[in-house]
Amino acid sequence: MFNYNHSHPEIRDAVSKLCEGFDGKYWQRCDADRAYPSEFVQALTDAGYLSALVPEEFGGLSLPISAGAAILEEIHRSGGNAAACHAQMYTMGTVLRHGSDVQKARFLPGIADGSLRLQAFGVTEPTSGTDTTALRTVARRDGDEYVVNGQKVWTSRAEHSDLMLLLARTTPLEECVKKTDGLSVFLVDMRDVRGRSLTITPIRTMMNHSSTQLFFDDMRIPADSLVGEEGKGFRYILSGMNAERILIAAECIGDAKWFIEKASIYAGERSVFGRPIGKNQGIQFPIAKAYSQMRAAELMLHEAIRLFETGENPGEEANLSKLLCADASWAAGEMCVQTFGGFGFAEEYDVERKFREARLYQVAPISTNLILSYIAEHVLKLPRSY
Ligand SMILES: Cc1cc2nc3c(=O)[nH]c(=O)nc-3n(C[C@H](O)[C@H](O)[C@H](O)COP(=O)(O)OP(=O)(O)OC[C@H]3O[C@@H](n4cnc5c(N)ncnc54)[C@H](O)[C@@H]3O)c2cc1C
């Protein structure tokens, strides 16, 4: 409906066409059954979009992050939900940056052609929550293997993934100089352990997200599952955060555009008191405000992408993008429900589903509070609060 004149117009058009095959009814069915959108993920994989950021030498498209952002934004703008598969775009980067040549040669071509799925990212635990360094899952070296014991929560898509990037403690906290030391990243082939030493139990959530709890019971994995150096895992995970923040922010912009477009069309068509409701400034001003908020957040996202692509470390801009874009999508969602009145609550209009889906980004993958803490501490040089 709106012409934003954005980067990668061919990719946006192609993704948008692909998404036409997965309409509101499709997403409503998946949502009602809490089913994984396998057909949609397969179509994206077949078209090569999930390999967008994988280098060409490993069979990917070698595209810049702006292309990844464009793909995810268009999926959300068309009413879909990329949460079923977005993690592969950013978790893959950890393997690319810190994995050995053997690991890259072994896993990246399969990830690129879709025969291997790296959708699961196991960091959060029930007791540690946001305080990642307090996690309790332990990996102990035993000859040619590591033995993993512990528990994760909110590991999304584990049932629909072959591989998982796992963060575990390899040196006890009390033996570490800094609490960020002694954590290690593993690329776990879940096909070898699932149903035996790895138990996966789904968590039913307010939206369809395929999230799970994981239990590791003497889970033995080959020692060469370790990514990079032992004890440096926390740094490796942090090094992927800018990409994660940028890609999620792009999804939020897609959601905001969807809400704004839906609301604008509806406000022009729905007639009450003999005239379109959009004639009332009480209806049109909130839509205009949501649009303004979205465009401002989008500018910050473009700045984060620009800096990222010039090889800088846009920690501030990536965090601000995630904060502002998540706020913009949530504000647009609230406006859209209000514009639709009662029909905003009816499943068939998709507004209530998108509203539930958009709410997540205030909390995950990082909560708004923790971004504000980052800005306060690292940008404004205020004392660390935790
Ligand atoms: C649907 C869903 C999918 C997810 N997928 C994944 C996944 O795939 N992999 C994964 O590892 N994790 C995943 N997560 C976990 C997500 O990253 C965490 O829920 C999030 O980081 C917050 O952690 P918590 O839920 O333990 O909240 P807590 O840490 O218990 O915090 C609760 C509240 O207190 C606030 N708070 C805590 N400490 C502070 C502080 N110092 N200052 C100010 N406020 C504070 C938090 O911001 C939050 O609002 C997912 C979560 C959800 C809901």
Side-chain angles (χ1 to χ4, degrees):
M1 180 182 184
F2 308 116
N3 185 7
Y4 296 102
N5 195 20
H6 284 333
S7 63
H8 305 292
E10 305 83 13
I11 292 180
R12 286 173 189 273
D13 278 355
V15 173
S16 173
K17 283 209 178 64
L18 184 151
C19 289
E20 281 171 16
F22 301 91
D23 60 5
K25 292 260 175 302
Y26 174 79
W27 292 104
Q28 285 162 25
R29 266 198 314 276
C30 291
D31 183 64
D33 300 342
R34 289 296 187 269
Y36 188 74
S38 305
E39 306 79 6
F40 170 71
V41 175
Q42 193 57 50
L44 273 187
T45 307
D46 293 345
Y49 294 126
L50 292 187
S51 74
L53 306 184
V54 178
E56 241 173 277
E57 60 176 305
F58 299 112
L61 300 178
S62 261
L63 291 171
I65 196 156
S66 50
I71 292 166
L72 297 180
E73 182 190 316
E74 285 308 317
I75 293 169
H76 281 249
R77 186 184 169 190
S78 74
N81 188 357
C85 51
H86 59 192
Q88 187 146 305
M89 278 200 191
Y90 48 81
T91 46
M92 176 281 302
T94 307
V95 182
L96 193 60
R97 275 187 307 278
H98 308 291
S100 65
D101 288 344
V102 175
Q103 282 169 329
K104 286 187 230 178
R106 188 164 155 216
F107 294 112
L108 289 179
I111 291 172
D113 71 22
S115 55
L116 267 180
R117 297 164 304 169
L118 171 57
Q119 296 289 1
F121 188 36
V123 174
T124 309
E125 297 190 2
T127 53
S128 56
T130 307
D131 185 4
T132 304
T133 57
L135 63 77
R136 293 188 187 168
T137 295
V138 170
R140 179 178 52 80
R141 180 81 190 238
D142 182 24
D144 287 344
E145 295 177 320
Y146 280 92
V147 186
V148 183
N149 279 288
Q151 186 183 346
K152 294 282 170 189
V153 71
W154 298 120
T155 310
S156 304
R157 304 162 295 272
E159 294 170 299
H160 307 281
S161 188
D162 304 303
L163 307 170
M164 165 176 55
L165 213 59
L166 172 72
L167 187 67
R169 188 158 277 290
T170 38
T171 307
L173 190 54
E174 50 282 9
E175 291 172 26
C176 295
V177 179
K178 288 194 288 181
K179 57 183 187 174
T180 50
D181 294 340
L183 294 166
S184 302
V185 169
F186 297 91
L187 187 58
V188 179
D189 195 331
M190 292 192 288
R191 294 169 301 180
D192 300 335
V193 287
R194 203 192 302 261
R196 294 193 288 275
S197 51
L198 168 64
T199 307
I200 306 178
T201 57
I203 305 174
R204 209 176 153 88
T205 49
M206 77 189 245
M207 68 294 169
N208 184 24
H209 202 87
S210 312
S211 214
T212 69
Q213 284 199 86
L214 306 182
F215 300 90
F216 312 110
D217 185 13
D218 278 336
M219 182 178 85
R220 287 186 170 270
I221 53 173
D224 64 7
S225 311
L226 178 71
V227 175
E229 279 181 56
E230 193 181 285
K232 298 208 169 144
F234 190 73
R235 257 160 280 175
Y236 299 160
I237 296 293
L238 280 192
S239 76
M241 288 303 166
N242 285 340
E244 183 196 89
R245 306 270 191 275
I246 286 172
L247 292 169
I248 298 289
E251 292 184 357
C252 293
I253 289 296
D255 282 336
K257 287 179 179 170
W258 186 88
F259 285 126
I260 291 164
E261 194 166 320
K262 273 269 168 188
S264 303
I265 294 171
Y266 188 77
E269 289 172 352
R270 169 77 172 165
S271 196
V272 179
F273 294 113
R275 60 195 187 143
I277 56 168
K279 241 185 165 185
N280 303 304
Q281 291 182 329
I283 288 292
Q284 59 179 234
F285 282 7
I287 305 176
K289 197 167 173 195
Y291 179 80
S292 314
Q293 190 175 349
M294 177 277 290
R295 289 305 305 268
E298 189 182 38
L299 279 181
M300 181 55 74
L301 173 59
H302 289 168
E303 177 64 355
I305 289 174
R306 186 187 69 77
L307 292 169
F308 190 95
E309 290 187 350
T310 52
E312 293 188 43
N313 172 15
E316 175 181 343
E317 291 77 8
N319 273 286
L320 285 173
S321 300
K322 164 65 177 54
L323 176 78
L324 298 172
C325 296
D327 281 355
S329 68
W330 183 235
E334 168 62 22
M335 169 282 291
C336 193
V337 171
Q338 199 66 18
T339 303
F340 271 71
F343 291 113
F345 298 82
E347 284 180 0
E348 69 168 296
Y349 286 85
D350 292 307
V351 174
E352 62 83 34
R353 172 179 62 80
K354 292 288 277 181
F355 183 74
R356 286 184 278 114
E357 290 169 358
R359 183 62 179 85
L360 176 66
Y361 298 114
Q362 295 288 327
V363 172
I366 173 124
S367 84
T368 296
N369 275 5
L370 267 288
I371 295 188
L372 291 172
S373 290
Y374 175 93
I375 302 297
E377 183 187 339
H378 296 280
V379 181
L380 305 174
K381 308 299 176 203
L382 289 164
R384 188 177 170 82
S385 65
Y386 54 90

